[in-house]
Amino acid sequence: MNVISPFLLVPELKNAAIELINKRAYTEASDLISGMVIEVCNDPEYIGKQIYLPEFDQLVEHIGKVLTANKANQTPLHTGKCPIIIATELYFDGGHSRIAEELIKTLGGGIVILTNYFGGSARADNTLPQAIRDLNTLVLPKDTAANNIVRLHSICSQLASEVYHLAHHHDVVANAALSSLMTVPVFFIHHSDHKVTLGATVGKFVHVDLGRHMHKLCSSFLKREIEYWPQGVFDRGVKKFTYPPDEIYSASSGVWNKFNWEGDFTYPDMIATILKAGAARHYHIGSLPDDKLELIRHRLSSQSLSVDRFHCTGVVHSLWQCLIDLNIYLFVGSAPMHGLRTAIEVQGAGIPIIPFRQDDTSLLNEGGFYNKDAPMWSTLEELAISVKATIADHARLASSARECYENEFSPSLWADAINKAKDKYRRTHEG
């Protein structure tokens, strides 16, 4: 059995960052660290294997401490304190944007601040998508990392009743600014659990995991108390099925890089397998690049399957609502990368889910997000068997999926966990 070793050390880059810090080149050091994290995040060699960067977290904390040293006793603004959610960016699809939305709903209000920091790399101007149009959102200006670390720290020091850290893996600005902000709780929401990320080992953060498997791992490896918040998703209702169905429609979702496109169980092969096993039509909910769509169409044609049996919806605001509207009867999870919020929404809608089975030794092993009856697969042959079994036992599996949502991921469980964590922080720091 392979031993999970989740700590990543990069001594050459660490030493280079230290040299820049010693020269007080804090923006250059921030950009170097951030660029390294972005590169590692995109390297398949590390995904699901190493997720912590303890040495770089210490350097980022040091940068924040130095830059905000004279900002500790600012006079609060006379506008009252409120929850603040920190993100790097928000967009139409993706789980962390939805987490921000549901935090605001659960907390009864708050402000979302986008750092707009991408490690010194060029990015287009941030345009807030329609999906978050109702959120009170501030975007930090285009400026150096050092200046925005000070700016973000100042804003949060004056306005925050508590801070919810949802920033991307690489976001030095968020981590440096918030690691020095300890007059209020900073909840580090470890949602990027399959890739290396900054911030996960910062001791001043209240570390929060949204999955039981990650809570267990982080508790073990970080050797301190870790919060578990069951990721609550607001209920959009249960799909009503008719039996026998006229046709079986299946669906999958996720950005293109959650799927294989070469080697075993490619997404085009998955779709062909699902259609041959009994689905009349398969939907991809979300967007896919044109070249990936062409690969799917080519594979279906090569296996004498009509390309009209595959449909790509494009971006949707609510996966859950789309599953109900499209009359989907079964859902096949992305592979090899799971979509954890996706699993919650699918099961909340009461739709049977067929997840990919991860290796037991992998940090990607997320079986706890699925109901106990969900048939899992790791080969195309197993996928075909699982599709047929789901169709044959549909009513029971649909009921089991909904029961999992109600027992594990309801909004009340999410709200209770957040309130208990806030109360615990107050007792610990004010007692």
Side-chain angles (χ1 to χ4, degrees):
M1 178 182 292
N2 296 326
V3 178
I4 297 174
S5 179
F7 297 97
L8 178 62
L9 307 177
V10 190
E12 303 85 358
L13 281 171
K14 181 191 74 170
N15 292 334
I18 290 173
E19 287 185 20
L20 291 170
I21 290 170
N22 289 338
K23 296 175 182 177
R24 300 183 181 180
Y26 300 117
T27 288
E28 291 79 0
S30 298
D31 291 349
L32 176 69
I33 294 169
S34 183
M36 178 274 293
V37 177
I38 291 172
E39 183 176 349
V40 174
C41 279
N42 294 324
D43 189 336
E45 179 182 348
Y46 297 100
I47 295 175
K49 299 175 184 176
Q50 293 180 299
I51 58 176
Y52 307 121
L53 289 166
E55 295 180 332
F56 290 94
D57 280 346
Q58 291 173 10
L59 294 180
V60 170
E61 283 187 84
H62 176 74
I63 292 172
K65 183 177 180 180
V66 171
L67 290 174
T68 63
N70 298 323
K71 308 292 182 181
N73 297 314
Q74 297 183 73
T75 302
L77 299 177
H78 298 290
T79 54
K81 298 279 189 172
C82 69
I84 290 182
I85 298 169
I86 305 297
T88 307
E89 62 177 340
L90 294 177
Y91 34 80
F92 277 117
D93 51 359
H96 96 290
S97 297
R98 304 288 82 76
I99 293 173
E101 289 181 316
E102 285 171 349
L103 273 171
I104 292 293
K105 292 178 185 177
T106 301
L107 299 168
I111 298 172
V112 179
I113 301 178
L114 308 184
T115 68
N116 205 21
Y117 174 71
F118 301 97
S121 59
R123 291 290 293 252
D125 289 340
N126 227 7
T127 301
L128 301 183
Q130 185 178 3
I132 60 166
R133 66 187 185 278
D134 294 330
L135 299 186
N136 295 318
T137 307
L138 302 175
V139 183
L140 295 186
K142 287 187 175 181
D143 202 344
T144 65
N147 285 347
N148 272 340
I149 288 168
V150 174
R151 184 175 284 115
L152 180 60
H153 177 82
S154 176
I155 294 170
C156 291
S157 294
Q158 296 182 75
L159 293 180
S161 58
E162 72 255 23
V163 178
Y164 299 85
H165 179 330
L166 276 173
H168 287 352
H169 319 65
H170 69 272
D171 199 331
V172 175
V173 168
N175 285 290
L178 299 177
S179 62
S180 297
L181 179 67
M182 288 309 297
T183 57
V184 299
V186 178
F187 297 107
F188 176 85
I189 299 178
H190 188 196
H191 61 296
S192 304
D193 50 25
H194 57 274
K195 294 182 179 181
V196 69
T197 185
L198 291 169
T201 70
V202 173
K204 294 178 181 178
F205 293 160
V206 180
H207 185 113
V208 177
D209 280 309
L210 303 183
R212 292 189 186 278
H213 66 296
M214 287 307 302
H215 179 257
K216 181 179 179 181
L217 284 168
C218 290
S219 297
S220 172
F221 287 116
L222 299 183
K223 308 298 184 185
R224 62 188 177 93
E225 185 176 11
I226 305 295
E227 292 286 332
Y228 170 61
W229 295 358
Q231 186 175 338
V233 178
F234 283 84
D235 194 343
R236 290 178 177 266
V238 185
K239 171 66 185 170
K240 304 300 182 185
F241 297 103
T242 57
Y243 298 104
D246 294 332
E247 290 184 314
I248 295 290
Y249 291 172
S250 60
S252 299
S253 71
V255 295
W256 68 271
N257 57 7
K258 285 185 177 289
F259 298 89
N260 276 343
W261 297 93
E262 296 179 351
D264 297 333
F265 56 83
T266 68
Y267 192 31
D269 282 331
M270 285 173 56
I271 295 170
T273 299
I274 295 164
L275 294 176
K276 289 180 179 179
R281 184 176 298 178
H282 184 82
Y283 286 88
H284 181 86
I285 300 176
S287 61
L288 289 172
D290 289 342
D291 63 322
K292 305 305 183 189
L293 292 172
E294 184 56 34
L295 286 173
I296 293 170
R297 296 185 187 106
H298 180 267
R299 185 60 51 88
L300 296 182
S301 295
S302 70
Q303 298 195 25
S304 300
L305 295 167
S306 171
V307 296
D308 292 337
R309 294 174 67 186
F310 170 74
H311 297 264
C312 184
T313 67
V315 174
V316 299
H317 177 52
S318 169
L319 169 65
W320 188 323
Q321 190 62 51
C322 187
L323 289 168
I324 293 176
D325 293 344
L326 288 178
N327 201 26
I328 301 299
Y329 268 67
L330 63 90
F331 189 96
V332 177
S334 54
M337 303 296 295
H338 288 178
L340 300 187
R341 183 186 174 87
T342 293
I344 298 170
E345 294 198 30
V346 172
Q347 293 174 110
I351 294 175
I353 189 168
I354 305 174
F356 180 72
R357 183 189 300 109
Q358 297 288 355
D359 189 292
D360 288 343
T361 64
S362 171
L363 297 182
L364 297 173
N365 187 352
E366 298 148 349
F369 271 79
Y370 305 100
N371 69 83
K372 58 181 174 43
D373 297 319
M376 304 186 84
W377 66 279
S378 56
T379 67
L380 293 175
E381 290 76 14
E382 287 182 338
L383 175 58
I385 292 170
S386 294
V387 170
K388 292 175 182 177
T390 298
I391 294 172
D393 196 15
H394 190 275
R396 184 180 70 87
L397 292 174
S399 177
S400 184
R402 175 66 185 188
E403 183 179 343
C404 178
Y405 164 77
E406 292 175 344
N407 292 340
E408 297 289 339
F409 304 111
S410 72
S412 62
L413 295 173
W414 162 261
D416 287 347
I418 293 173
N419 289 330
K420 287 178 181 178
K422 290 194 294 184
D423 289 343
K424 184 190 301 183
Y425 184 91
R426 281 193 290 269
R427 291 194 305 271
T428 302
H429 291 79
E430 297 175 7

